Amino acid sequence: SGSGDTSVIVRDISATARPLGFATVEGVFKNRDSSSSEVNTSALALSVTPVSFLGITASLSQNPEDSKGNVQFYDARSVGVKANIGILSLTGGYASRDEYLAGREWWETRLGLGVRLAHATHLTGGYELSETEAAHGLSSRRLSLGLRRDLGSDFNLLLSGSRTDVEQSNVPGTDRRYEAEIRLGVRF
């Protein structure tokens, strides 16, 4: 039409299944037809908890929508693990994203470790590596350390610190940043 209005036909299919007591599979597929283009959205997520102390997640998505329903033009993949064994907790994950229209790819790897030193004291540490491959590649590494102490049933104290190293492919040297934080929490 001459007014610039376009119509879009959207076909939406979504499903969730629990084929086993410890696994959940979710899927979404949206097909959009318009006079100017056709963009499909698809996503598949798997969550597995084979034993009470271990959880594994994986996901794939293509052209996902943001919270307002706008299509984002990238493909994403991720896998994660979470384990709690006695006083130890472990988290890990890998994620990647291919922004194919912008010619940019991104990867991130995370590892976290927690140790319960006492009933009310918890020590945490983490490592993150993220890289972007594009015309101006970017790499960042982050190390973090934290200590949480519960002070009775209503208060807690959190001390944390981190070091982040950022490198850009077209800029020599490393930009190093340090952060420290102290928080006092109150339960209502």
Side-chain angles (χ1 to χ4, degrees):
S1 71
S3 67
D5 293 337
T6 60
S7 62
V8 178
I9 298 171
V10 178
R11 294 171 199 88
D12 186 356
I13 301 169
S14 63
T16 300
R18 289 188 61 88
L20 304 168
F22 61 87
T24 303
V25 179
E26 297 178 55
V28 173
F29 179 77
K30 284 189 178 184
N31 175 262
R32 295 174 191 85
D33 287 328
S34 71
S35 58
S36 61
S37 68
E38 179 182 314
V39 177
N40 295 330
T41 293
S42 60
L44 181 64
L46 172 66
S47 175
V48 179
T49 309
V51 288
S52 63
F53 60 85
L54 177 66
I56 301 167
T57 59
S59 68
L60 299 168
S61 63
Q62 181 179 39
N63 302 320
E65 293 180 341
D66 66 9
S67 60
K68 296 178 182 177
N70 299 317
V71 176
Q72 307 297 302
F73 297 99
Y74 63 82
D75 297 334
R77 296 154 298 283
S78 70
V79 64
V81 65
K82 185 182 279 191
N84 291 305
I85 304 168
I87 64 169
L88 296 176
S89 63
L90 174 70
T91 59
Y94 172 80
S96 67
R97 184 160 73 180
D98 180 6
E99 298 174 8
Y100 53 85
L101 291 181
R104 184 172 42 230
E105 292 185 66
W106 169 86
W107 302 272
E108 181 178 69
T109 305
R110 292 179 178 220
L111 180 62
L113 179 65
V115 179
R116 186 162 297 280
L117 299 174
H119 175 68
T121 307
H122 196 195
L123 179 66
T124 61
Y127 175 77
E128 298 173 22
L129 169 65
S130 113
E131 295 185 42
T132 302
E133 184 177 289
H136 302 288
L138 189 67
S139 172
S140 101
R141 289 174 178 74
R142 183 172 188 263
L143 293 167
S144 62
L145 186 63
L147 178 68
R148 177 187 162 134
R149 173 79 178 153
D150 291 333
L151 307 169
S153 62
D154 295 329
F155 297 97
N156 62 51
L157 178 66
L158 175 67
L159 307 170
S160 64
S162 67
R163 181 182 102 180
T164 305
D165 297 333
V166 178
E167 296 177 11
Q168 194 165 349
S169 63
N170 62 344
V171 178
T174 299
D175 179 19
R176 183 166 285 163
R177 300 176 197 147
Y178 294 94
E179 294 178 13
E181 183 176 27
I182 299 174
R183 273 197 249 170
L184 178 62
V186 179
R187 290 188 197 113
F188 291 99

